[in-house]
């Protein structure tokens, strides 16, 4: 099985000579002198920057960046990415600065290291409904597929030593993030093996009991299953030989623990339904041989109805291609077979990274289509790469195509709780506020971005954490219409402005009280004091001697509302000498 080679050696004395030897042993002997000089410079810089630093596991810190860079080399990434992998933690964890990285290593490596550092600032807090947005934001912030791949192998290595992290809450957060964000991203980039590894490494932290149970169940079932597979293999080989189908490889593939558990959950925990706990994988020369081999298997053993899947004609969303079938095999036991070409196999293991070395080898890639709106961005990405291939672009242009620019018109920002809000480019804190809730927008009094106060015309950027401060009696200002990019915010502002206007129009107009009093010194002053207590300006106040029994004081004023009128009346009645209050309009 062609997996990404794991790096497990506990070497404590990495130096340029053993590192460069390791690099070459991983199929990178074709690196040019110039490439090697660049990587050497990065290696020595990283060794200096991380000198004396240790990981929680007790290893020298340098081991981590060496492991990540060797993994990027395994994935056939370019020398700049291998160098960026060596440098990826220098700015965050040592005295190095971006300015220095840019000066010493140039714009592209600076761009990659900065991308990794920016992604590191995103914290997923396990709100599952936000996972999809979070994955999109991850991509928008990374800006380049190489940064995404770098982060995936970085996380893969960090998961191996997660046990050493002393804070259990942090362990759980990182494992949950791996399960909800990183593994699905690896899946979408078609990196099936990496996805399975990430899931299995996080499973035990996120669901410890289920993980223990699964491990025991599999350990019990596996030996018998493996003996069984060993019996089938020679039969398949013999039959393929007889039918003149050239087998490049035949191997047994154990299902990953986490995906087996998910499958059990979907199937009422019925183990009999997990037919692919161990599957047989046949690799053949070309697509014709795939279908011919399927025919041979079906001739040997009867297929289980509904279990034949042609992912060659209908690839999975992430480009995965293969023929799958389950047959009633020896002793009537259902057994899964996967049949594919070598190219399909590499594609399934390396995913998007497979494009780098195919490009290098100048071979055409088998066309795969991404379907479904949910995976629109994957489809766009692939379309883009196909376009680039048609143009027969130089390798420099090809690297350009790794830019994630289908998000160029969108930004992804976070609430303080970690929820992701997706906004158009140029959006301001007011757009953000209205996207949280119309009341937050209407009452917005101020905004903070990454804990710093900003003005309402501030242009938000992907990865920003935005906080809106509200005040009870705040109202939107008409000027906000010019500060917003989203139609949602604009329509809410207009609606609120109209409501406020309507309130003004319906409030009672000028009211007049005719207060009959028994005339005494100071009564006029007492009456006007009531109005000033309510902060009401009296329009006119006239004191008329009337022909009736009592003289009248006429007060014209503008009340705020009906309630206020009643309150004023009550107060006035308490004044000694006030006999009656009549309201005139
Ligand atoms: Mn790292």
């Amino acid at each position: 099985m062609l997996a990404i080679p794991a790096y497990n050696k506990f070497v404590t004395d990495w130096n340029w000579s053993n590192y460069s030897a390791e690099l070459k042993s991983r199929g990178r002997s074709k690196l040019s002198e110039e490439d090697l000089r660049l990587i050497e410079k990065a290696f020595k810089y990283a060794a200096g920057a991380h000198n004396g630093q240790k990981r929680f596991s007790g290893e020298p810190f340098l081991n981590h960046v060496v492991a990540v860079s060797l993994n990027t080399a395994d994935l056939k990434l370019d020398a700049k990415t291998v160098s960026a992998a060596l440098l990826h933690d220098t700015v965050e964890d040592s005295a190095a600065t971006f300015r220095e990285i840019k000066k010493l290593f140039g714009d592209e490596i600076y761009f990659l290291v900065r991308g990794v550092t920016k992604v590191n600032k995103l914290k997923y807090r396990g709100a599952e409904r936000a996972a999809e947005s979070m994955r999109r934001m991850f991509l928008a912030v990374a800006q380049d597929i190489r940064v995404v791949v770098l982060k995936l192998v970085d996380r893969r290595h960090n998961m191996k030593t997660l046990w050493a992290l002393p804070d259990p809450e942090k362990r759980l957060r990182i494992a949950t993030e791996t399960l909800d964000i990183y593994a699905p991203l690896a899946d979408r980039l078609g990196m099936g093996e990496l996805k399975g590894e990430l899931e299995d490494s996080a499973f035990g932290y996120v669901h410890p009991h289920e993980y223990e149970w699964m491990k025991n169940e599999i350990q019990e079932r596996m030996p018998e299953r493996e003996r069984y597979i060993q019996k089938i293999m020679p039969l398949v080989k013999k039959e393929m030989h007889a039918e003149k189908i050239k087998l490049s490889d035949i191997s047994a593939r154990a299902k990953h623990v986490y995906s087996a558990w998910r499958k059990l959950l979907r199937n009422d925990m019925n183990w009999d339904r997990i037919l692919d706990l161990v599957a047989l994988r046949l690799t053949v020369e070309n697509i014709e041989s795939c279908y011919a081999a399927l025919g041979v298997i079906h001739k040997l053993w009867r297929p289980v109805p509904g279990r034949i899947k042609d992912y060659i004609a209908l690839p999975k969303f992430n480009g995965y291609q293969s023929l799958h079938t389950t047959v009633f095999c020896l002793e009537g036991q259902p057994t899964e077979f996967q049949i594919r070409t070598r190219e399909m196999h590499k594609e399934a293991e390396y995913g998007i990274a497979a494009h780098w070395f195919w490009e290098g080898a100048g071979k055409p890639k088998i066309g795969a289509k991404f379907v479904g709106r949910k995976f629109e961005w994957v489809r766009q990405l692939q379309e883009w790469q196909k376009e680039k291939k048609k143009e027969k672009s130089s390798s420099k242009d090809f690297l350009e195509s790794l830019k994630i620019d289908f998000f160029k018109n969108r930004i992804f920002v976070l609430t303080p709780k970690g929820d992701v809000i997706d906004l158009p480019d140029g959006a301001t804190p007011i757009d953000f506020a209205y996207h949280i809730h119309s009341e937050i927008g209407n009452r917005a009094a101020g905004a903070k971005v990454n804990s710093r106060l900003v003005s309402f015309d501030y242009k938000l950027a992907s990865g920003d954490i935005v906080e809106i401060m509200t005040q009870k009696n705040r109202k939107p200002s008409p000027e906000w219409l010019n500060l917003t990019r989203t139609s949602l915010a604009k329509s809410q502002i207009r609606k609120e402005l109209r409501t406020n206007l309507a309130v003004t129009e319906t409030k009672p107009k000028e009211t007049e009280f005719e207060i009959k009093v028994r005339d005494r010194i100071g009564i006029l002053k007492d009456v006007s004091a009531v109005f000033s207590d309510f902060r009401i300006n009296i329009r006119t106040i006239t004191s008329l001697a009337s022909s009736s029994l009592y003289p009248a004081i006429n007060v014209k004023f503008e009340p705020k509302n009906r309630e206020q009128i009643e309150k004023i009346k009550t107060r006035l009645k308490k004044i000694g000498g006030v006999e009656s209050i009549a309201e005139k309009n």
Side-chain angles (χ1 to χ4, degrees):
M1 178 165 113
L2 189 143
I4 301 160
Y7 180 73
N8 288 320
K9 272 185 272 175
F10 194 95
V11 179
T12 50
D13 58 344
W14 281 110
N15 53 46
W16 172 245
S17 111
N18 59 14
Y19 174 79
S20 57
E22 182 70 34
L23 203 61
K24 280 176 191 157
S25 80
R26 293 177 182 225
R28 300 314 305 267
S29 50
K30 278 179 197 148
L31 284 167
S32 71
E33 275 304 309
E34 196 192 340
D35 283 349
L36 273 171
R37 270 199 302 278
L38 177 69
I39 298 172
E40 181 176 5
K41 192 164 128 188
F43 179 87
K44 289 182 172 163
Y45 185 87
H50 296 301
N51 186 27
Q53 292 180 351
K54 286 229 180 339
R55 309 202 89 211
F56 281 116
S57 60
E59 281 177 277
F61 196 94
L62 191 63
N63 281 21
H64 168 63
V65 297
V66 162
V68 173
S69 78
L70 290 174
N71 274 174
T72 58
D74 294 332
L75 291 168
K76 311 285 184 273
L77 278 154
D78 60 308
K80 281 180 177 150
T81 311
V82 175
S83 306
L86 285 165
L87 300 168
H88 84 271
D89 276 325
T90 54
V91 176
E92 241 184 327
D93 295 326
S94 83
T97 61
F98 281 131
R99 184 198 283 244
E100 203 174 23
I101 299 284
K102 194 174 185 174
K103 208 179 104 199
L104 289 170
F105 299 98
D107 284 348
E108 202 172 331
I109 290 178
Y110 156 74
F111 170 81
L112 295 172
V113 174
R114 201 189 48 166
V116 172
T117 311
K118 275 204 251 169
V119 171
N120 287 349
K121 294 221 167 20
L122 306 180
K123 295 277 181 290
Y124 175 65
R125 289 166 181 85
E128 209 177 318
R129 67 200 160 83
E132 175 60 24
S133 304
M134 187 74 189
R135 291 187 282 263
R136 285 163 165 264
M137 179 162 79
F138 186 111
L139 291 165
V141 169
Q143 290 184 286
D144 188 297
I145 291 293
R146 288 172 297 170
V147 172
V148 180
V149 174
L150 230 161
K151 272 308 296 176
L152 291 174
V153 294
D154 179 40
R155 178 52 60 96
R156 176 175 177 270
H157 188 255
N158 283 335
M159 287 308 290
K160 283 184 186 163
T161 50
L162 191 63
W163 55 269
L165 213 63
D167 179 356
E169 255 176 57
K170 204 172 172 193
R171 284 201 299 265
L172 181 61
R173 186 188 69 73
I174 291 173
T176 307
E177 190 176 75
T178 303
L179 216 48
D180 290 357
I181 309 296
Y182 283 74
L185 278 173
D187 189 30
R188 288 186 197 181
L189 298 184
M191 305 171 93
E193 191 55 37
L194 184 56
K195 175 212 166 218
E197 258 189 68
L198 287 169
E199 283 179 345
D200 283 0
S201 66
F203 186 20
Y205 295 98
V206 182
H207 307 286
H209 301 294
E210 291 82 351
Y211 176 74
E212 274 307 309
W213 179 78
M214 278 300 289
K215 239 175 61 183
N216 292 334
E217 289 284 317
I218 288 175
Q219 262 163 20
E220 254 173 54
R221 287 158 209 274
M222 212 49 144
E224 185 208 338
R225 199 68 193 151
E226 269 168 0
R227 271 195 301 278
Y228 177 75
I229 294 288
Q230 292 311 320
K231 273 195 279 181
I232 303 170
M233 281 218 212
L235 293 175
V236 174
K237 277 185 196 165
K238 200 181 129 206
E239 202 62 26
M240 292 294 164
H241 185 75
E243 300 281 343
K244 300 198 166 49
I245 296 166
K246 204 175 158 215
L247 268 182
S248 305
D249 186 44
I250 177 166
S251 62
R253 168 212 172 246
K255 199 169 180 64
H256 282 287
V257 184
Y258 182 72
S259 67
W261 178 63
R262 293 293 299 243
K263 196 161 190 179
L264 274 172
L265 285 183
R266 287 197 301 271
N267 289 289
D268 307 318
M269 305 314 275
N270 182 356
W271 277 98
D272 296 337
R273 302 288 296 275
I274 309 298
L275 305 174
D276 51 355
L277 190 59
V278 178
L280 272 166
R281 186 175 284 165
L282 313 183
T283 311
V284 295
E285 297 230 285
N286 50 40
I287 293 177
E288 291 72 52
S289 308
C290 289
Y291 290 104
L294 183 75
V296 172
I297 300 293
H298 284 173
K299 209 165 77 186
L300 273 173
W301 298 293
R302 193 163 54 86
V304 178
R307 296 275 310 186
I308 306 166
K309 285 171 196 140
D310 184 351
Y311 294 121
I312 292 177
L314 294 166
K316 285 193 188 179
F317 72 86
N318 59 7
Y320 176 84
Q321 289 188 299
S322 220
L323 296 175
H324 290 192
T325 185
T326 303
V327 296
F328 295 105
C329 202
L330 279 187
E331 302 146 28
Q333 280 201 42
T335 303
E336 185 177 292
F337 286 81
Q338 302 178 350
I339 306 161
R340 52 176 74 168
T341 65
R342 221 188 312 213
E343 289 79 7
M344 290 173 196
H345 186 63
K346 273 184 187 149
E347 177 87 23
E349 300 296 341
Y350 287 87
I352 202 131
H355 298 264
W356 285 294
F357 56 86
W358 284 116
E359 179 72 10
K363 287 184 189 173
K365 201 188 85 60
I366 296 138
K369 278 188 190 116
F370 293 129
V371 285
R373 261 198 86 220
K374 202 176 163 193
F375 306 109
E376 180 65 12
W377 65 268
V378 186
R379 194 193 57 74
Q380 282 175 312
L381 178 69
Q382 217 200 20
E383 293 284 300
W384 224 87
Q385 291 192 324
K386 232 161 47 194
E387 287 300 307
K388 279 282 153 188
K389 277 179 202 299
K390 263 191 238 156
E391 289 167 19
K392 286 206 173 75
S393 54
S394 71
S395 72
K396 193 176 177 296
D397 283 346
F398 183 71
L399 291 179
E400 285 289 300
S401 77
L402 300 169
K403 285 209 184 98
I404 302 167
D405 65 352
F406 40 85
F407 289 130
K408 69 181 169 204
N409 300 320
R410 306 299 295 177
I411 55 161
F412 299 85
V413 294
L414 288 161
T415 68
K417 281 183 182 161
D419 289 338
V420 180
I421 308 292
D422 172 356
L423 294 167
D425 195 23
T428 61
I430 301 176
D431 289 299
F432 174 86
Y434 278 102
H435 275 77
I436 303 285
H437 196 280
S438 59
E439 276 307 288
I440 308 268
N442 289 335
R443 307 286 164 255
K448 278 184 182 174
V449 169
N450 306 325
S451 311
R452 259 186 43 233
L453 273 170
V454 297
S455 59
F456 278 159
D457 61 355
Y458 180 90
K459 300 268 178 287
L460 298 172
S462 274
D464 280 347
I465 299 170
V466 189
E467 196 181 339
I468 300 295
M469 286 158 291
T470 56
Q471 266 172 19
K472 238 191 195 164
N473 37 29
R474 274 289 171 138
K475 288 186 193 101
S477 113
E479 192 196 326
W480 287 9
L481 290 169
N482 301 324
L483 299 179
T484 45
R485 290 284 167 281
T486 59
S487 50
L488 175 79
K490 283 187 201 296
S491 71
Q492 292 289 346
I493 293 167
R494 280 197 198 98
K495 195 173 144 201
E496 186 66 9
L497 289 172
R498 269 200 305 274
T499 311
N500 288 337
L501 207 63
V503 167
T504 323
E505 278 165 354
T506 55
K507 83 177 173 189
K509 285 190 182 150
E510 193 177 70
T511 302
E512 186 177 357
F513 281 174
E514 187 182 74
I515 308 160
K516 300 219 161 164
V517 294
R518 274 169 296 157
D519 203 7
R520 64 168 172 85
I521 293 169
I523 195 155
L524 208 59
K525 198 179 142 217
D526 289 347
V527 167
S528 52
V530 170
F531 287 91
S532 65
D533 280 354
F534 283 94
R535 297 176 191 284
I536 285 174
N537 291 323
I538 295 171
R539 276 282 175 83
T540 60
I541 182 161
T542 47
S543 178
L544 299 168
S546 98
S547 52
S548 64
L549 187 57
Y550 296 111
I553 300 170
N554 283 54
V555 186
K556 282 186 183 172
F557 65 101
E558 272 183 17
K560 225 164 94 187
N561 49 38
R562 191 65 234 171
E563 201 191 353
Q564 200 179 37
I565 294 174
E566 295 307 323
K567 280 184 182 164
I568 295 170
K569 273 189 189 168
T570 315
R571 282 281 304 277
L572 289 171
K573 279 177 189 162
K574 287 181 185 160
I575 297 172
V578 170
E579 291 297 328
S580 69
I581 303 160
E583 197 183 324
K584 299 166 138 189
N585 272 324

